[in-house]
Amino acid sequence: MDITIQQTYLPHNDPDAAVAFYRDVLGFEVRMDVGYEGKRWITVGPVGQPVSIVLYPPDATPGLTDDELRTVVEMMAKGTYASINLGTPDLDATFAKIEATDAEVVQEPTDQPYGVRDCAFRDPSGNMIRIAQKAG
């Protein structure tokens, strides 16, 4: 089988803040910014890589009830709804650049007991962004 990851989805509650974080803080390119009925779906990704993150408004999820949306919004606010793991060849330099912005630091670079060195931030919507040191 030949399967690749093309896109993953993370919710946002402020499209402009999301763009600023992923473009200006993480250095991703904005590939699409689509508006429909007052909502925005923003596709971002690392320059030169085919994988994308679609930042979407959670209230546009088909079939989501009002109670479920409230739960999603509460979990986003706590940072427990969605996350993504990224990698970098120089974790300490990457951490320093991100820390110099107003990004919320969750964890400074740490050697984990399971063999990974990583750090963590939250994006403006509360999504957990973990960044690991790439081996090699």
Side-chain angles (χ1 to χ4, degrees), residues 82-108:
S83 64
I84 191 165
N85 291 2
L86 306 173
T88 183
D90 189 344
L91 182 64
D92 294 317
T94 299
F95 178 83
K97 286 179 185 176
I98 297 171
E99 184 183 35
T101 71
D102 62 356
E104 179 186 349
V105 176
V106 175
Q107 173 201 302
E108 294 187 3

mmCIF file of all heavy atoms in Angstrom, residues 82-108:
data_model
loop_
_atom_site.group_PDB
_atom_site.id
_atom_site.type_symbol
_atom_site.label_atom_id
_atom_site.label_comp_id
_atom_site.label_asym_id
_atom_site.label_seq_id
_atom_site.Cartn_x
_atom_site.Cartn_y
_atom_site.Cartn_z
ATOM 1 N N ALA A 82 -7.646 19.241 20.744
ATOM 2 C CA ALA A 82 -6.891 18.838 19.557
ATOM 3 C C ALA A 82 -5.405 19.128 19.751
ATOM 4 O O ALA A 82 -5.025 20.008 20.520
ATOM 5 C CB ALA A 82 -7.404 19.572 18.320
ATOM 6 N N SER A 83 -4.590 18.363 19.038
ATOM 7 C CA SER A 83 -3.142 18.565 19.128
ATOM 8 C C SER A 83 -2.476 18.073 17.854
ATOM 9 O O SER A 83 -3.079 17.350 17.061
ATOM 10 C CB SER A 83 -2.561 17.822 20.334
ATOM 11 O OG SER A 83 -2.725 16.431 20.180
ATOM 12 N N ILE A 84 -1.227 18.487 17.699
ATOM 13 C CA ILE A 84 -0.423 18.017 16.579
ATOM 14 C C ILE A 84 1.026 17.963 17.047
ATOM 15 O O ILE A 84 1.451 18.776 17.870
ATOM 16 C CB ILE A 84 -0.580 18.926 15.341
ATOM 17 C CG1 ILE A 84 0.058 18.266 14.113
ATOM 18 C CG2 ILE A 84 -0.038 20.315 15.590
ATOM 19 C CD1 ILE A 84 -0.356 18.908 12.802
ATOM 20 N N ASN A 85 1.755 16.981 16.561
ATOM 21 C CA ASN A 85 3.181 16.854 16.862
ATOM 22 C C ASN A 85 3.975 17.217 15.622
ATOM 23 O O ASN A 85 3.733 16.679 14.543
ATOM 24 C CB ASN A 85 3.529 15.421 17.284
ATOM 25 C CG ASN A 85 2.942 15.060 18.627
ATOM 26 O OD1 ASN A 85 2.245 15.839 19.256
ATOM 27 N ND2 ASN A 85 3.232 13.856 19.075
ATOM 28 N N LEU A 86 4.930 18.119 15.799
ATOM 29 C CA LEU A 86 5.798 18.569 14.722
ATOM 30 C C LEU A 86 7.233 18.178 15.051
ATOM 31 O O LEU A 86 7.524 17.793 16.178
ATOM 32 C CB LEU A 86 5.681 20.091 14.565
ATOM 33 C CG LEU A 86 4.264 20.646 14.381
ATOM 34 C CD1 LEU A 86 4.283 22.173 14.417
ATOM 35 C CD2 LEU A 86 3.643 20.136 13.100
ATOM 36 N N GLY A 87 8.132 18.300 14.100
ATOM 37 C CA GLY A 87 9.537 17.983 14.328
ATOM 38 C C GLY A 87 10.429 19.068 13.783
ATOM 39 O O GLY A 87 10.067 19.774 12.842
ATOM 40 N N THR A 88 11.605 19.210 14.376
ATOM 41 C CA THR A 88 12.577 20.204 13.936
ATOM 42 C C THR A 88 13.985 19.664 14.155
ATOM 43 O O THR A 88 14.213 18.900 15.099
ATOM 44 C CB THR A 88 12.400 21.541 14.697
ATOM 45 O OG1 THR A 88 13.311 22.501 14.183
ATOM 46 C CG2 THR A 88 12.637 21.376 16.189
ATOM 47 N N PRO A 89 14.947 20.045 13.307
ATOM 48 C CA PRO A 89 16.319 19.586 13.508
ATOM 49 C C PRO A 89 17.029 20.305 14.660
ATOM 50 O O PRO A 89 18.042 19.820 15.152
ATOM 51 C CB PRO A 89 17.006 19.882 12.175
ATOM 52 C CG PRO A 89 16.180 20.929 11.532
ATOM 53 C CD PRO A 89 14.780 20.755 12.039
ATOM 54 N N ASP A 90 16.522 21.458 15.118
ATOM 55 C CA ASP A 90 17.155 22.203 16.209
ATOM 56 C C ASP A 90 16.078 22.691 17.173
ATOM 57 O O ASP A 90 15.580 23.817 17.067
ATOM 58 C CB ASP A 90 17.967 23.379 15.659
ATOM 59 C CG ASP A 90 18.822 24.057 16.725
ATOM 60 O OD1 ASP A 90 18.584 23.839 17.938
ATOM 61 O OD2 ASP A 90 19.728 24.810 16.345
ATOM 62 N N LEU A 91 15.712 21.830 18.112
ATOM 63 C CA LEU A 91 14.624 22.118 19.036
ATOM 64 C C LEU A 91 14.885 23.370 19.868
ATOM 65 O O LEU A 91 13.998 24.203 20.038
ATOM 66 C CB LEU A 91 14.380 20.917 19.961
ATOM 67 C CG LEU A 91 13.227 21.094 20.956
ATOM 68 C CD1 LEU A 91 11.900 21.227 20.231
ATOM 69 C CD2 LEU A 91 13.198 19.934 21.927
ATOM 70 N N ASP A 92 16.097 23.516 20.383
ATOM 71 C CA ASP A 92 16.380 24.657 21.249
ATOM 72 C C ASP A 92 16.251 25.985 20.506
ATOM 73 O O ASP A 92 15.680 26.951 21.030
ATOM 74 C CB ASP A 92 17.756 24.516 21.896
ATOM 75 C CG ASP A 92 17.801 23.333 22.858
ATOM 76 O OD1 ASP A 92 16.835 23.153 23.630
ATOM 77 O OD2 ASP A 92 18.796 22.583 22.836
ATOM 78 N N ALA A 93 16.744 26.062 19.280
ATOM 79 C CA ALA A 93 16.627 27.291 18.491
ATOM 80 C C ALA A 93 15.169 27.558 18.126
ATOM 81 O O ALA A 93 14.710 28.701 18.186
ATOM 82 C CB ALA A 93 17.484 27.198 17.230
ATOM 83 N N THR A 94 14.444 26.517 17.759
ATOM 84 C CA THR A 94 13.028 26.670 17.423
ATOM 85 C C THR A 94 12.248 27.149 18.637
ATOM 86 O O THR A 94 11.433 28.074 18.547
ATOM 87 C CB THR A 94 12.454 25.340 16.891
ATOM 88 O OG1 THR A 94 13.162 24.976 15.701
ATOM 89 C CG2 THR A 94 10.980 25.442 16.598
ATOM 90 N N PHE A 95 12.506 26.535 19.787
ATOM 91 C CA PHE A 95 11.833 26.951 21.018
ATOM 92 C C PHE A 95 12.104 28.425 21.317
ATOM 93 O O PHE A 95 11.190 29.180 21.635
ATOM 94 C CB PHE A 95 12.277 26.081 22.201
ATOM 95 C CG PHE A 95 11.649 26.519 23.493
ATOM 96 C CD1 PHE A 95 10.371 26.108 23.835
ATOM 97 C CD2 PHE A 95 12.326 27.363 24.369
ATOM 98 C CE1 PHE A 95 9.780 26.535 25.019
ATOM 99 C CE2 PHE A 95 11.747 27.791 25.546
ATOM 100 C CZ PHE A 95 10.464 27.374 25.875
ATOM 101 N N ALA A 96 13.356 28.834 21.204
ATOM 102 C CA ALA A 96 13.721 30.227 21.502
ATOM 103 C C ALA A 96 12.972 31.199 20.597
ATOM 104 O O ALA A 96 12.490 32.247 21.066
ATOM 105 C CB ALA A 96 15.228 30.419 21.369
ATOM 106 N N LYS A 97 12.853 30.874 19.315
ATOM 107 C CA LYS A 97 12.140 31.754 18.380
ATOM 108 C C LYS A 97 10.658 31.844 18.727
ATOM 109 O O LYS A 97 10.063 32.922 18.695
ATOM 110 C CB LYS A 97 12.309 31.263 16.942
ATOM 111 C CG LYS A 97 13.678 31.521 16.364
ATOM 112 C CD LYS A 97 13.778 30.997 14.950
ATOM 113 C CE LYS A 97 15.190 31.161 14.423
ATOM 114 N NZ LYS A 97 15.352 30.570 13.094
ATOM 115 N N ILE A 98 10.056 30.711 19.040
ATOM 116 C CA ILE A 98 8.619 30.715 19.362
ATOM 117 C C ILE A 98 8.374 31.377 20.710
ATOM 118 O O ILE A 98 7.436 32.163 20.871
ATOM 119 C CB ILE A 98 8.039 29.288 19.318
ATOM 120 C CG1 ILE A 98 8.156 28.720 17.900
ATOM 121 C CG2 ILE A 98 6.589 29.279 19.786
ATOM 122 C CD1 ILE A 98 7.809 27.257 17.787
ATOM 123 N N GLU A 99 9.234 31.091 21.672
ATOM 124 C CA GLU A 99 9.085 31.682 23.004
ATOM 125 C C GLU A 99 9.179 33.210 22.947
ATOM 126 O O GLU A 99 8.546 33.915 23.742
ATOM 127 C CB GLU A 99 10.143 31.129 23.958
ATOM 128 C CG GLU A 99 9.990 31.627 25.380
ATOM 129 C CD GLU A 99 11.092 31.132 26.291
ATOM 130 O OE1 GLU A 99 12.241 31.004 25.842
ATOM 131 O OE2 GLU A 99 10.789 30.897 27.474
ATOM 132 N N ALA A 100 9.942 33.745 22.000
ATOM 133 C CA ALA A 100 10.110 35.198 21.867
ATOM 134 C C ALA A 100 8.832 35.887 21.373
ATOM 135 O O ALA A 100 8.738 37.112 21.419
ATOM 136 C CB ALA A 100 11.267 35.507 20.925
ATOM 137 N N THR A 101 7.849 35.117 20.906
ATOM 138 C CA THR A 101 6.558 35.671 20.506
ATOM 139 C C THR A 101 5.633 35.608 21.721
ATOM 140 O O THR A 101 6.059 35.258 22.816
ATOM 141 C CB THR A 101 5.958 34.873 19.335
ATOM 142 O OG1 THR A 101 5.540 33.591 19.809
ATOM 143 C CG2 THR A 101 6.956 34.710 18.201
ATOM 144 N N ASP A 102 4.369 35.884 21.517
ATOM 145 C CA ASP A 102 3.434 35.796 22.637
ATOM 146 C C ASP A 102 2.761 34.427 22.733
ATOM 147 O O ASP A 102 1.733 34.278 23.376
ATOM 148 C CB ASP A 102 2.396 36.915 22.570
ATOM 149 C CG ASP A 102 1.537 36.851 21.308
ATOM 150 O OD1 ASP A 102 1.788 35.990 20.451
ATOM 151 O OD2 ASP A 102 0.614 37.677 21.197
ATOM 152 N N ALA A 103 3.349 33.409 22.114
ATOM 153 C CA ALA A 103 2.793 32.058 22.180
ATOM 154 C C ALA A 103 2.822 31.551 23.617
ATOM 155 O O ALA A 103 3.762 31.813 24.371
ATOM 156 C CB ALA A 103 3.580 31.108 21.278
ATOM 157 N N GLU A 104 1.790 30.811 23.990
ATOM 158 C CA GLU A 104 1.701 30.254 25.332
ATOM 159 C C GLU A 104 2.594 29.015 25.448
ATOM 160 O O GLU A 104 2.342 27.995 24.813
ATOM 161 C CB GLU A 104 0.256 29.876 25.660
ATOM 162 C CG GLU A 104 0.101 29.260 27.036
ATOM 163 C CD GLU A 104 -1.296 28.742 27.312
ATOM 164 O OE1 GLU A 104 -2.226 29.027 26.523
ATOM 165 O OE2 GLU A 104 -1.446 28.022 28.315
ATOM 166 N N VAL A 105 3.635 29.111 26.266
ATOM 167 C CA VAL A 105 4.535 27.983 26.497
ATOM 168 C C VAL A 105 3.879 27.025 27.486
ATOM 169 O O VAL A 105 3.443 27.427 28.559
ATOM 170 C CB VAL A 105 5.895 28.456 27.057
ATOM 171 C CG1 VAL A 105 6.785 27.261 27.390
ATOM 172 C CG2 VAL A 105 6.585 29.396 26.082
ATOM 173 N N VAL A 106 3.811 25.759 27.121
ATOM 174 C CA VAL A 106 3.292 24.722 28.002
ATOM 175 C C VAL A 106 4.444 23.938 28.624
ATOM 176 O O VAL A 106 4.403 23.576 29.792
ATOM 177 C CB VAL A 106 2.342 23.774 27.237
ATOM 178 C CG1 VAL A 106 1.882 22.621 28.115
ATOM 179 C CG2 VAL A 106 1.153 24.546 26.679
ATOM 180 N N GLN A 107 5.482 23.700 27.821
ATOM 181 C CA GLN A 107 6.623 22.923 28.310
ATOM 182 C C GLN A 107 7.881 23.364 27.575
ATOM 183 O O GLN A 107 7.904 23.422 26.354
ATOM 184 C CB GLN A 107 6.380 21.435 28.052
ATOM 185 C CG GLN A 107 7.557 20.542 28.373
ATOM 186 C CD GLN A 107 7.447 19.227 27.628
ATOM 187 O OE1 GLN A 107 6.482 18.506 27.780
ATOM 188 N NE2 GLN A 107 8.436 18.936 26.806
ATOM 189 N N GLU A 108 8.904 23.681 28.328
ATOM 190 C CA GLU A 108 10.209 23.998 27.731
ATOM 191 C C GLU A 108 10.830 22.713 27.205
ATOM 192 O O GLU A 108 10.383 21.612 27.557
ATOM 193 C CB GLU A 108 11.098 24.648 28.790
ATOM 194 C CG GLU A 108 10.582 26.005 29.222
ATOM 195 C CD GLU A 108 11.524 26.739 30.150
ATOM 196 O OE1 GLU A 108 12.629 26.234 30.431
ATOM 197 O OE2 GLU A 108 11.141 27.837 30.584
#
